[in-house]
Amino acid sequence: DAGITQSPRHKVTETGTPVTLRCHQTENHRYMYWYRQDPGHGLRLIHYSYGVKDTDKGEVSDGYSVSRSKTEDFLLTLESATSSQTSVYFCAISPLTGQGNTEAFFGQGTRLTVV
Amino acid sequence: AQSVTQLDSHVSVSEGTPVLLRCNYSSSYSPSLFWYVQHPNKGLQLLLKYTSAATLVKGINGFEAEFKKSETSFHLTKPSAHMSDAAEYFCVVSEGAAGNKLTFGGGTRVLVKP
């Protein structure tokens, strides 16, 4: 398995509280991503990073922010959690190979419940 | 903009019979295409990928997929289903623009009956 660790793996939080999820990689890959998985929607991109301090929005970025201060860590913050953000969150990493697109490698996921 | 449509949300097959999972994509560029599998309560594992080389792509566990540009399709097949193939399968497209962003289809859940 690619060296990706997500923490925590499970979290229950209350509406209105901030929550931070962490993704740590040991592969030194350039690209890192945060996705959310909901039934019938597959995985949808929240934010991604193409280098330290370089991030951009995905298709469902509202209510989320990210930071990447080191190559190995990519943090996802829910600024004020809502019930609609109850989901399974996946971190992914991908190398820059110069040979066209490469696949992403996924972490084990974080199950977040907002009550 | 890129998009992916998986034509079946659920597929049920008997063990030992063929599996066909259908995927159509939309892309403004020459895309790369992937199939991932997710077993219950697990992460995602790459089955195979197409990146403009051979149009018939072989993957792990006996799966293969054929890229058909004229039909904008990338269907996944396996000649003989095994019980361990019961999982959810995702077709994914990437256009390779800045960020190497992946766009996922909605997923197809496969049930294998003994």
Side-chain angles (χ1 to χ4, degrees):
Chain A
D1 291 345
I4 310 171
T5 304
Q6 291 186 230
S7 58
R9 293 291 314 280
H10 301 271
K11 186 170 182 66
V12 179
T13 192
E14 293 185 350
T15 299
T17 60
V19 176
T20 295
L21 308 183
R22 180 180 184 240
C23 178
H24 178 78
Q25 63 149 327
T26 58
E27 306 295 326
N28 200 36
H29 285 344
R30 177 175 176 176
Y31 295 108
M32 298 186 76
Y33 313 81
W34 278 107
Y35 288 87
R36 59 177 291 172
Q37 182 177 25
D38 304 290
H41 291 277
L43 276 73
R44 292 179 292 175
L45 182 65
I46 306 171
H47 283 279
Y48 68 100
S49 169
Y50 46 96
V52 174
K53 299 190 187 303
D54 291 324
T55 66
D56 204 352
K57 296 179 180 180
E59 63 176 305
V60 291
S61 60
D62 287 349
Y64 301 94
S65 62
V66 290
S67 66
R68 191 172 179 195
S69 59
K70 299 184 290 184
T71 298
E72 57 266 35
D73 289 325
F74 193 34
L75 303 180
L76 176 71
T77 298
L78 288 66
E79 294 142 7
S80 177
T82 68
S83 58
S84 65
Q85 293 176 312
T86 292
S87 186
V88 180
Y89 291 85
F90 284 96
C91 174
I93 63 175
S94 181
L96 177 65
T97 67
Q99 297 176 354
N101 298 338
T102 60
E103 68 269 28
F105 302 93
F106 287 82
Q108 291 300 298
T110 294
R111 185 173 296 276
L112 177 68
T113 303
V114 183
V115 297
Chain B
Q2 56 193 27
S3 66
V4 179
T5 302
Q6 292 183 240
L7 299 171
D8 306 291
S9 60
H10 293 80
V11 168
S12 180
V13 298
S14 297
E15 190 175 22
T17 64
V19 181
L20 169 64
L21 305 184
R22 299 181 294 165
C23 171
N24 288 114
Y25 70 91
S26 172
S27 173
S28 303
Y29 304 94
S30 295
S32 292
L33 292 156
F34 310 85
W35 276 98
Y36 283 84
V37 61
Q38 184 181 32
H39 288 92
N41 299 311
K42 299 290 187 183
L44 283 85
Q45 179 184 19
L46 180 71
L47 276 179
L48 49 81
K49 65 178 179 181
Y50 165 77
T51 56
S52 75
T55 56
L56 183 61
V57 181
K58 293 189 183 299
I60 62 172
N61 300 333
F63 285 94
E64 65 180 35
E66 185 171 10
F67 174 72
K68 292 187 176 180
K69 186 175 181 178
S70 62
E71 299 177 10
T72 60
S73 70
F74 190 56
H75 300 336
L76 180 71
T77 60
K78 183 174 181 177
S80 177
H82 190 273
M83 295 299 292
S84 61
D85 295 327
E88 189 158 22
Y89 293 78
F90 295 98
C91 182
V92 181
V93 64
S94 172
E95 289 182 337
N100 195 33
K101 291 184 288 185
L102 305 180
T103 299
F104 281 73
T108 298
R109 189 169 297 277
V110 173
L111 172 66
V112 182
K113 297 177 291 185

